[in-house]
Amino acid sequence: MIYIFTLIFLFVVEKLYLNIADKFNIIDKPNERSSHTKITIRGGGVIFYVASMIYFVHSGFAYPWFFLGLSLLTYISFLDDVRGVYPTWRLCVHFAAVALMGYEFNAFDYPWYYLVLFFVFVIGVINAYNFMDGINGMTAFCTFIMGSLLLYVNTKINYIEQDFLIYTLLGVVVFGFFNFRKKAMCFAGDVGPAVLSFMLLFALGKLILKTGDFSYILFLGVYGIEIGWSVARRVYQGYHIFEPHRTFLLHMLSNEVGYNSLMVSVGYGLVQLGLGASVIYIVQFGASVQWSFAIVTLSGLSAFYLIWKQYIFNHYYIKGEERYAIRFRRLRQLKARRNKKTSLAPEFKLAPEVKIIEMPRKENTENLIRSGARSL
Protein backbone atom coordinates (compact mmCIF):
# COMPACT_ATOMS: atom_id res chain seq x y z
CA MET A 1 0.00 0.00 0.00
CA ILE A 2 2.86 2.38 0.78
CA TYR A 3 4.07 2.04 -2.80
CA ILE A 4 0.67 3.09 -4.18
CA PHE A 5 0.57 6.17 -1.97
CA THR A 6 4.13 7.00 -3.00
CA LEU A 7 3.25 6.64 -6.66
CA ILE A 8 0.26 9.00 -6.28
CA PHE A 9 2.38 11.49 -4.35
CA LEU A 10 5.06 11.47 -7.04
CA PHE A 11 2.44 12.10 -9.73
CA VAL A 12 1.19 15.12 -7.80
CA VAL A 13 4.72 16.46 -7.29
CA GLU A 14 5.61 16.05 -10.95
CA LYS A 15 2.43 17.79 -12.07
CA LEU A 16 3.13 20.60 -9.64
CA TYR A 17 6.65 20.93 -10.99
CA LEU A 18 5.36 21.17 -14.55
CA ASN A 19 3.13 24.06 -13.56
CA ILE A 20 5.97 25.85 -11.74
CA ALA A 21 8.44 25.26 -14.59
CA ASP A 22 5.95 26.60 -17.10
CA LYS A 23 5.46 29.73 -14.99
CA PHE A 24 9.19 30.36 -14.55
CA ASN A 25 10.10 29.48 -18.14
CA ILE A 26 12.23 26.39 -17.39
CA ILE A 27 11.99 25.14 -20.95
CA ASP A 28 13.97 23.42 -23.68
CA LYS A 29 13.99 25.31 -26.97
CA PRO A 30 14.58 23.28 -30.15
CA ASN A 31 17.95 23.73 -31.86
CA GLU A 32 19.97 21.97 -34.56
CA ARG A 33 20.74 19.05 -32.26
CA SER A 34 17.17 18.63 -31.01
CA SER A 35 14.83 15.88 -32.14
CA HIS A 36 11.78 17.87 -31.00
CA THR A 37 10.27 20.88 -32.76
CA LYS A 38 8.19 22.39 -29.95
CA ILE A 39 9.24 24.18 -26.78
CA THR A 40 9.04 21.63 -23.94
CA ILE A 41 9.46 21.85 -20.17
CA ARG A 42 12.81 20.55 -18.98
CA GLY A 43 14.05 19.34 -15.60
CA GLY A 44 11.25 16.82 -15.12
CA GLY A 45 13.87 14.33 -13.98
CA VAL A 46 13.97 16.06 -10.61
CA ILE A 47 11.22 13.59 -9.65
CA PHE A 48 13.92 10.89 -9.40
CA TYR A 49 15.55 12.80 -6.55
CA VAL A 50 12.19 13.23 -4.82
CA ALA A 51 11.65 9.46 -5.03
CA SER A 52 15.12 8.80 -3.62
CA MET A 53 14.56 11.18 -0.73
CA ILE A 54 11.29 9.44 0.17
CA TYR A 55 13.24 6.20 0.38
CA PHE A 56 16.02 7.89 2.35
CA VAL A 57 13.60 9.10 5.04
CA HIS A 58 11.54 5.89 5.02
CA SER A 59 14.66 3.73 5.42
CA GLY A 60 15.88 5.60 8.48
CA PHE A 61 18.54 7.57 6.54
CA ALA A 62 20.34 4.62 4.97
CA TYR A 63 23.50 5.26 2.89
CA PRO A 64 23.99 8.84 4.18
CA TRP A 65 27.24 9.63 2.32
CA PHE A 66 25.77 8.44 -0.94
CA PHE A 67 22.68 10.62 -0.50
CA LEU A 68 24.82 13.62 0.35
CA GLY A 69 26.66 13.11 -2.95
CA LEU A 70 23.35 12.62 -4.74
CA SER A 71 22.05 15.90 -3.29
CA LEU A 72 25.11 17.81 -4.50
CA LEU A 73 24.75 16.29 -7.95
CA THR A 74 21.04 17.11 -8.06
CA TYR A 75 21.66 20.72 -7.03
CA ILE A 76 24.31 21.47 -9.67
CA SER A 77 22.42 19.61 -12.41
CA PHE A 78 19.11 21.32 -11.70
CA LEU A 79 20.87 24.68 -11.54
CA ASP A 80 22.30 23.90 -14.96
CA ASP A 81 18.77 23.26 -16.23
CA VAL A 82 17.48 26.54 -14.82
CA ARG A 83 20.22 29.00 -15.75
CA GLY A 84 23.37 27.11 -16.73
CA VAL A 85 26.65 26.67 -14.83
CA TYR A 86 30.31 26.74 -15.78
CA PRO A 87 31.58 23.30 -16.86
CA THR A 88 34.44 23.57 -14.37
CA TRP A 89 32.04 24.03 -11.45
CA ARG A 90 29.90 21.16 -12.66
CA LEU A 91 32.92 18.88 -12.96
CA CYS A 92 34.12 19.80 -9.46
CA VAL A 93 30.73 18.90 -7.99
CA HIS A 94 30.74 15.65 -9.95
CA PHE A 95 34.12 14.78 -8.41
CA ALA A 96 32.83 15.60 -4.93
CA ALA A 97 29.69 13.48 -5.43
CA VAL A 98 31.69 10.52 -6.74
CA ALA A 99 34.10 10.85 -3.80
CA LEU A 100 31.17 10.63 -1.39
CA MET A 101 29.86 7.56 -3.19
CA GLY A 102 33.34 6.04 -2.98
CA TYR A 103 33.43 6.77 0.75
CA GLU A 104 30.13 4.92 1.14
CA PHE A 105 31.76 1.98 -0.67
CA ASN A 106 34.95 2.23 1.45
CA ALA A 107 36.69 2.57 -1.91
CA PHE A 108 39.52 4.63 -0.42
CA ASP A 109 40.86 1.45 1.18
CA TYR A 110 41.80 0.18 -2.31
CA PRO A 111 44.98 1.08 -4.27
CA TRP A 112 45.06 4.51 -5.94
CA TYR A 113 44.79 3.12 -9.49
CA TYR A 114 41.47 1.48 -8.61
CA LEU A 115 40.27 4.86 -7.40
CA VAL A 116 41.31 6.52 -10.66
CA LEU A 117 39.39 3.92 -12.66
CA PHE A 118 36.41 4.34 -10.34
CA PHE A 119 36.30 8.12 -10.77
CA VAL A 120 36.76 7.97 -14.55
CA PHE A 121 34.12 5.26 -14.97
CA VAL A 122 31.44 6.89 -12.80
CA ILE A 123 31.88 10.40 -14.23
CA GLY A 124 31.96 8.93 -17.74
CA VAL A 125 28.71 7.04 -17.20
CA ILE A 126 27.00 10.13 -15.75
CA ASN A 127 27.86 12.10 -18.90
CA ALA A 128 27.01 9.18 -21.17
CA TYR A 129 23.59 8.91 -19.59
CA ASN A 130 23.04 12.57 -20.36
CA PHE A 131 24.08 12.08 -23.99
CA MET A 132 21.60 9.22 -24.43
CA ASP A 133 18.68 11.33 -23.24
CA GLY A 134 18.04 12.44 -26.81
CA ILE A 135 14.62 11.13 -27.82
CA ASN A 136 11.30 10.59 -26.07
CA GLY A 137 11.16 7.57 -23.81
CA MET A 138 14.84 6.57 -24.05
CA THR A 139 15.80 7.43 -20.47
CA ALA A 140 12.54 6.15 -18.96
CA PHE A 141 12.31 2.82 -20.77
CA CYS A 142 15.99 1.84 -20.71
CA THR A 143 16.31 2.80 -17.04
CA PHE A 144 13.21 0.77 -16.23
CA ILE A 145 14.82 -2.24 -17.92
CA MET A 146 18.15 -1.82 -16.13
CA GLY A 147 16.46 -1.18 -12.79
CA SER A 148 14.28 -4.25 -13.23
CA LEU A 149 17.34 -6.39 -13.95
CA LEU A 150 19.01 -5.12 -10.79
CA LEU A 151 15.80 -5.71 -8.84
CA TYR A 152 15.57 -9.30 -10.07
CA VAL A 153 19.19 -10.02 -9.14
CA ASN A 154 18.56 -8.51 -5.70
CA THR A 155 15.81 -11.05 -5.05
CA LYS A 156 18.46 -13.77 -5.49
CA ILE A 157 21.50 -12.18 -3.86
CA ASN A 158 20.21 -9.35 -1.60
CA TYR A 159 23.10 -6.95 -2.18
CA ILE A 160 21.11 -3.75 -1.44
CA GLU A 161 17.88 -2.80 0.30
CA GLN A 162 15.02 -3.72 -2.02
CA ASP A 163 13.17 -0.46 -1.45
CA PHE A 164 16.09 1.51 -2.87
CA LEU A 165 15.42 -0.02 -6.29
CA ILE A 166 11.62 -0.01 -5.94
CA TYR A 167 11.43 3.71 -5.14
CA THR A 168 13.81 4.43 -8.01
CA LEU A 169 11.53 2.55 -10.41
CA LEU A 170 8.46 4.36 -9.06
CA GLY A 171 10.10 7.64 -10.01
CA VAL A 172 10.87 6.24 -13.47
CA VAL A 173 7.23 5.18 -13.95
CA VAL A 174 5.96 8.65 -13.06
CA PHE A 175 8.43 10.39 -15.36
CA GLY A 176 7.65 7.93 -18.13
CA PHE A 177 3.98 8.84 -17.94
CA PHE A 178 4.84 12.42 -18.91
CA ASN A 179 7.72 11.64 -21.28
CA PHE A 180 6.99 8.29 -22.94
CA ARG A 181 4.63 9.70 -25.55
CA LYS A 182 4.80 11.06 -29.07
CA LYS A 183 4.70 14.66 -27.83
CA ALA A 184 6.42 14.67 -24.48
CA MET A 185 5.07 16.94 -21.76
CA CYS A 186 8.54 17.29 -20.23
CA PHE A 187 12.16 16.27 -20.67
CA ALA A 188 14.45 14.93 -17.96
CA GLY A 189 16.92 17.78 -18.44
CA ASP A 190 20.44 17.46 -17.02
CA VAL A 191 19.19 16.61 -13.55
CA GLY A 192 17.30 13.47 -14.61
CA PRO A 193 20.11 11.48 -16.27
CA ALA A 194 22.59 12.62 -13.59
CA VAL A 195 20.43 11.41 -10.68
CA LEU A 196 19.38 8.16 -12.37
CA SER A 197 22.88 7.20 -13.46
CA PHE A 198 24.23 7.95 -9.97
CA MET A 199 21.59 5.76 -8.34
CA LEU A 200 22.01 2.89 -10.79
CA LEU A 201 25.80 3.03 -10.48
CA PHE A 202 25.50 2.85 -6.69
CA ALA A 203 23.31 -0.25 -6.94
CA LEU A 204 25.59 -1.76 -9.59
CA GLY A 205 28.64 -1.05 -7.43
CA LYS A 206 27.04 -2.75 -4.44
CA LEU A 207 26.27 -5.76 -6.63
CA ILE A 208 29.83 -6.04 -7.95
CA LEU A 209 31.34 -5.64 -4.48
CA LYS A 210 29.01 -8.35 -3.14
CA THR A 211 29.62 -10.88 -5.93
CA GLY A 212 33.00 -9.93 -7.39
CA ASP A 213 31.56 -10.36 -10.90
CA PHE A 214 32.40 -7.44 -13.18
CA SER A 215 30.23 -8.97 -15.90
CA TYR A 216 27.30 -7.05 -14.41
CA ILE A 217 28.74 -3.91 -15.98
CA LEU A 218 27.17 -5.22 -19.19
CA PHE A 219 23.85 -4.04 -17.75
CA LEU A 220 25.08 -0.75 -19.26
CA GLY A 221 26.32 -2.42 -22.45
CA VAL A 222 23.92 -0.83 -24.95
CA TYR A 223 24.68 2.67 -23.71
CA GLY A 224 28.37 1.84 -23.69
CA ILE A 225 28.40 0.75 -27.33
CA GLU A 226 26.47 3.82 -28.51
CA ILE A 227 28.59 6.32 -26.59
CA GLY A 228 31.92 4.57 -27.12
CA TRP A 229 31.74 4.32 -30.91
CA SER A 230 30.17 7.76 -31.33
CA VAL A 231 32.94 9.40 -29.28
CA ALA A 232 35.58 7.41 -31.18
CA ARG A 233 34.19 8.65 -34.49
CA ARG A 234 34.23 12.27 -33.36
CA VAL A 235 37.78 11.97 -32.05
CA TYR A 236 38.86 10.44 -35.37
CA GLN A 237 37.28 13.36 -37.20
CA GLY A 238 39.10 15.85 -35.02
CA TYR A 239 35.88 17.21 -33.58
CA HIS A 240 35.27 18.32 -29.99
CA ILE A 241 33.57 15.38 -28.26
CA PHE A 242 31.47 17.56 -25.93
CA GLU A 243 30.09 19.74 -28.71
CA PRO A 244 26.33 19.16 -29.27
CA HIS A 245 25.48 16.93 -32.21
CA ARG A 246 22.86 14.45 -33.36
CA THR A 247 24.89 11.68 -34.93
CA PHE A 248 24.09 9.02 -32.35
CA LEU A 249 22.38 6.07 -33.98
CA LEU A 250 19.27 6.66 -31.88
CA HIS A 251 19.02 10.22 -33.27
CA MET A 252 19.46 9.11 -36.87
CA LEU A 253 16.96 6.28 -36.60
CA SER A 254 14.35 8.67 -35.25
CA ASN A 255 15.14 11.81 -37.26
CA GLU A 256 16.61 10.77 -40.61
CA VAL A 257 15.32 7.22 -41.13
CA GLY A 258 11.93 8.19 -39.72
CA TYR A 259 11.28 5.47 -37.15
CA ASN A 260 8.96 6.37 -34.30
CA SER A 261 11.11 7.62 -31.40
CA LEU A 262 9.20 5.49 -28.90
CA MET A 263 9.84 2.37 -30.97
CA VAL A 264 13.54 3.23 -31.10
CA SER A 265 13.57 3.59 -27.31
CA VAL A 266 11.76 0.28 -26.90
CA GLY A 267 14.19 -1.37 -29.31
CA TYR A 268 17.21 -0.17 -27.31
CA GLY A 269 15.56 -1.30 -24.09
CA LEU A 270 14.76 -4.77 -25.43
CA VAL A 271 18.33 -5.25 -26.64
CA GLN A 272 19.53 -4.28 -23.16
CA LEU A 273 17.01 -6.69 -21.63
CA GLY A 274 18.34 -9.55 -23.76
CA LEU A 275 21.93 -8.64 -22.90
CA GLY A 276 21.14 -8.33 -19.19
CA ALA A 277 19.29 -11.65 -19.08
CA SER A 278 22.26 -13.31 -20.76
CA VAL A 279 24.59 -11.80 -18.15
CA ILE A 280 22.43 -13.12 -15.29
CA TYR A 281 22.68 -16.58 -16.83
CA ILE A 282 26.40 -16.46 -17.67
CA VAL A 283 27.67 -15.32 -14.24
CA GLN A 284 27.15 -18.84 -12.91
CA PHE A 285 30.13 -19.95 -15.01
CA GLY A 286 33.82 -19.30 -14.52
CA ALA A 287 35.80 -16.18 -15.38
CA SER A 288 37.04 -17.54 -18.73
CA VAL A 289 33.47 -18.18 -19.91
CA GLN A 290 32.38 -14.72 -18.75
CA TRP A 291 35.27 -13.01 -20.56
CA SER A 292 34.59 -14.98 -23.74
CA PHE A 293 30.92 -14.08 -23.54
CA ALA A 294 31.70 -10.38 -23.04
CA ILE A 295 34.16 -10.24 -25.95
CA VAL A 296 31.93 -12.11 -28.38
CA THR A 297 28.76 -10.24 -27.42
CA LEU A 298 30.28 -6.76 -27.48
CA SER A 299 32.06 -7.50 -30.76
CA GLY A 300 28.85 -8.73 -32.38
CA LEU A 301 26.77 -5.80 -31.16
CA SER A 302 29.50 -3.36 -32.19
CA ALA A 303 29.69 -4.80 -35.70
CA PHE A 304 25.91 -4.61 -36.08
CA TYR A 305 25.92 -1.04 -34.75
CA LEU A 306 28.72 0.18 -37.03
CA ILE A 307 27.32 -1.44 -40.17
CA TRP A 308 23.85 -0.02 -39.60
CA LYS A 309 25.20 3.42 -38.79
CA GLN A 310 27.44 3.51 -41.86
CA TYR A 311 24.52 2.46 -44.03
CA ILE A 312 22.54 5.44 -42.74
CA PHE A 313 25.46 7.80 -43.39
CA ASN A 314 25.69 6.48 -46.95
CA HIS A 315 22.00 6.61 -47.80
CA TYR A 316 20.51 9.48 -45.79
CA TYR A 317 21.16 13.17 -45.40
CA ILE A 318 22.25 13.86 -41.83
CA LYS A 319 21.34 17.35 -40.67
CA GLY A 320 24.48 19.26 -39.72
CA GLU A 321 26.79 16.53 -40.97
CA GLU A 322 28.40 18.89 -43.51
CA ARG A 323 30.21 20.57 -40.63
CA TYR A 324 31.80 17.29 -39.65
CA ALA A 325 32.79 16.57 -43.24
CA ILE A 326 34.35 20.00 -43.61
CA ARG A 327 36.25 19.54 -40.37
CA PHE A 328 37.53 16.17 -41.52
CA ARG A 329 38.69 17.55 -44.88
CA ARG A 330 40.48 20.44 -43.18
CA LEU A 331 42.16 18.01 -40.82
CA ARG A 332 43.48 16.04 -43.78
CA GLN A 333 44.69 19.25 -45.40
CA LEU A 334 46.66 20.25 -42.33
CA LYS A 335 48.29 16.83 -42.19
CA ALA A 336 49.16 17.08 -45.86
CA ARG A 337 50.80 20.46 -45.40
CA ARG A 338 52.75 19.12 -42.48
CA ASN A 339 54.10 16.43 -44.79
CA LYS A 340 54.81 19.05 -47.48
CA LYS A 341 52.15 17.65 -49.72
CA THR A 342 49.09 19.19 -51.26
CA SER A 343 45.90 17.37 -50.46
CA LEU A 344 43.55 19.62 -52.37
CA ALA A 345 44.07 20.80 -55.93
CA PRO A 346 44.67 24.57 -56.30
CA GLU A 347 41.66 26.55 -57.31
CA PHE A 348 41.79 28.71 -60.47
CA LYS A 349 39.45 31.48 -61.40
CA LEU A 350 38.23 30.99 -64.92
CA ALA A 351 37.94 34.04 -67.13
CA PRO A 352 34.39 34.85 -68.12
CA GLU A 353 33.31 33.44 -71.46
CA VAL A 354 34.03 35.78 -74.37
CA LYS A 355 31.18 36.33 -76.72
CA ILE A 356 32.26 36.70 -80.37
CA ILE A 357 30.18 39.04 -82.48
CA GLU A 358 30.42 38.61 -86.25
CA MET A 359 30.87 41.91 -88.09
CA PRO A 360 29.27 42.37 -91.51
CA ARG A 361 31.57 41.68 -94.44
CA LYS A 362 32.93 44.64 -96.39
CA GLU A 363 31.27 45.16 -99.69
CA ASN A 364 33.55 45.51 -102.66
CA THR A 365 33.75 48.64 -104.72
CA GLU A 366 31.76 47.24 -107.64
CA ASN A 367 28.78 46.40 -105.48
CA LEU A 368 28.85 49.85 -103.92
CA ILE A 369 28.85 51.50 -107.36
CA ARG A 370 25.90 49.37 -108.49
CA SER A 371 23.91 50.10 -105.41
CA GLY A 372 24.63 53.81 -105.82
CA ALA A 373 23.58 53.74 -109.49
CA ARG A 374 20.29 52.06 -108.59
CA SER A 375 19.53 54.65 -106.04
CA LEU A 376 19.87 57.37 -108.63
Side-chain angles (χ1 to χ4, degrees), residues 17-31 34 36 38-44 78-84 184-190:
Y17 170 77
L18 295 182
N19 295 334
I20 295 173
D22 186 45
K23 181 178 179 180
F24 288 94
N25 208 33
I26 307 174
I27 56 176
D28 194 306
K29 295 181 180 179
N31 53 40
S34 303
H36 61 289
K38 293 178 60 178
I39 293 176
T40 308
I41 294 173
R42 68 183 306 178
F78 188 68
L79 190 64
D80 199 18
D81 283 326
V82 174
R83 66 179 189 182
M185 296 179 63
C186 68
F187 294 146
D190 288 332

Side-chain angles (χ1 to χ4, degrees), residues 363-376:
E363 297 179 351
N364 53 35
T365 307
E366 185 179 350
N367 290 336
L368 288 173
I369 295 173
R370 287 178 182 175
S371 61
R374 289 173 184 167
S375 62
L376 292 174

Side-chain angles (χ1 to χ4, degrees), residues 137-293:
M138 179 61 71
T139 296
F141 191 77
C142 288
T143 302
F144 186 80
I145 293 297
M146 287 184 273
S148 299
L149 290 169
L150 290 168
L151 186 66
Y152 174 78
V153 175
N154 196 52
T155 61
K156 307 294 182 182
I157 300 176
N158 191 26
Y159 60 90
I160 197 172
E161 289 192 25
Q162 190 83 332
D163 279 351
F164 179 90
L165 297 171
I166 293 176
Y167 280 89
T168 301
L169 291 177
L170 290 178
V172 172
V173 170
V174 171
F175 174 74
F177 176 81
F178 295 96
N179 177 260
F180 194 86
R181 53 179 71 196
K182 188 174 182 179
K183 294 182 179 179
M185 296 179 63
C186 68
F187 294 146
D190 288 332
V191 65
V195 171
L196 273 184
S197 58
F198 202 71
M199 296 179 72
L200 289 179
L201 284 170
F202 180 70
L204 188 62
K206 295 281 285 184
L207 174 58
I208 293 174
L209 288 174
K210 178 71 177 287
T211 62
D213 289 323
F214 284 90
S215 296
Y216 288 111
I217 292 178
L218 292 179
F219 282 175
L220 302 170
V222 172
Y223 274 29
I225 289 172
E226 176 79 88
I227 297 297
W229 285 114
S230 295
V231 169
R233 178 178 180 271
R234 290 173 66 77
V235 170
Y236 176 69
Q237 289 179 326
Y239 216 75
H240 196 291
I241 61 174
F242 294 110
E243 202 164 316
H245 66 104
R246 47 185 261 168
T247 55
F248 290 121
L249 180 60
L250 63 94
H251 289 138
M252 295 191 293
L253 289 174
S254 178
N255 299 325
E256 279 72 34
V257 180
Y259 291 149
N260 185 289
S261 61
L262 300 182
M263 292 300 100
V264 175
S265 299
V266 170
Y268 270 68
L270 292 179
V271 173
Q272 186 58 70
L273 177 61
L275 179 58
S278 301
V279 170
I280 293 173
Y281 172 75
I282 211 71
V283 291
Q284 62 182 310
F285 299 100
S288 59
V289 176
Q290 294 182 33
W291 276 105
S292 300
F293 168 79

Side-chain angles (χ1 to χ4, degrees), residues 299-336:
S299 298
L301 289 175
S302 295
F304 178 76
Y305 172 87
L306 293 173
I307 291 172
W308 199 358
K309 194 168 185 177
Q310 191 59 48
Y311 175 84
I312 296 174
F313 275 121
N314 292 339
H315 292 83
Y316 292 87
Y317 168 73
I318 310 300
K319 184 178 180 181
E321 180 62 15
E322 298 91 341
R323 294 189 294 116
Y324 308 125
I326 291 172
R327 176 63 66 90
F328 185 56
R329 190 175 72 175
R330 289 171 66 185
L331 183 65
R332 287 191 309 173
Q333 186 177 12
L334 289 174
K335 288 182 178 179

Side-chain angles (χ1 to χ4, degrees), residues 4-20:
I4 297 176
F5 286 135
T6 301
L7 193 65
I8 295 172
F9 176 75
L10 291 175
F11 267 109
V12 173
V13 171
E14 183 76 331
K15 185 60 179 176
L16 181 63
Y17 170 77
L18 295 182
N19 295 334
I20 295 173

